[in-house]
Amino acid sequence: ELKELLDRKDYHLVHLSGHGDYDEQKNTAYLSMENEWGTEKRVSAKELSETLIGCSSVRLLFLSACQSMREEIPNTGLARSLMANGIPIVIGMKHTIGDYAASSMAGSFYRHLTLKRSVSHALQLARVEFANDHKGNFQWAIPAIFCRGENTAIVDWAKPSIPIKDRETSVI
């Protein structure tokens, strides 16, 4: 279903929210997705990368899933695998994170993006806001960003904007 959506239109940002796990035997993270029968399907970095191959418009993949950035051996994690397969910027979670913390920081992150911040600056500000609002809660340190380059802008703010009523959005 994700591949079909991505094939229909160019998206610059993909946000996947759900459960994540890390397999220490295979040194890789997995996302828990739902298959066509409604049961869990563990999706590996390789499978997700294969889904995203050819989606050159995707500049940022936000993985709001526990342990989606974890790697015990360098260059074996989900995020690095996705970057190696063409995704320029990946945000994910280094460890387990609570739903409230993840959604709160994601909301703040997107708010800062709309204020014309770069991806790295928006994530930094979201983490700082969460830390300031939740003293003693160290979940602000869990989100991380991997980038292939220094440019973490995903929107060309010089282009004319499209009125909201004319925009198409997709949620699956």
Side-chain angles (χ1 to χ4, degrees), residues 121-169:
H121 192 207
L123 183 62
Q124 176 189 13
L125 292 170
R127 290 169 55 152
V128 167
E129 282 179 16
F130 188 85
N132 288 339
D133 292 346
H134 301 87
K135 302 280 188 214
N137 184 330
F138 295 99
Q139 291 187 82
W140 63 266
I142 295 173
I145 183 171
F146 284 172
C147 306
R148 280 195 293 173
E150 291 183 27
N151 180 8
T152 64
I154 61 167
V155 176
D156 181 356
W157 294 106
K159 283 187 176 181
S161 63
I162 300 170
I164 291 175
K165 64 181 173 56
D166 297 335
R167 294 183 195 171
E168 180 184 326
T169 58

Side-chain angles (χ1 to χ4, degrees), residues 94-128:
K94 295 179 283 186
H95 301 286
T96 299
I97 189 166
D99 287 340
Y100 174 77
S103 62
S104 174
M105 282 188 272
S108 179
F109 168 77
Y110 288 120
R111 183 171 43 78
H112 285 292
L113 275 185
T114 65
L115 296 173
K116 302 182 181 182
R117 307 289 200 287
S118 69
V119 172
S120 56
H121 192 207
L123 183 62
Q124 176 189 13
L125 292 170
R127 290 169 55 152
V128 167

Side-chain angles (χ1 to χ4, degrees), residues 42-75:
R42 285 177 21 137
V43 178
S44 69
K46 183 177 186 283
E47 292 169 304
L48 188 55
S49 294
E50 288 170 358
T51 298
L52 296 170
I53 285 175
C55 299
S56 59
S57 67
V58 177
R59 299 251 322 118
L60 167 64
L61 178 61
F62 194 125
L63 299 171
S64 189
C66 296
Q67 303 185 57
S68 53
M69 287 294 239
R70 181 178 167 188
E71 55 181 32
E72 296 297 319
I73 298 172
N75 301 315

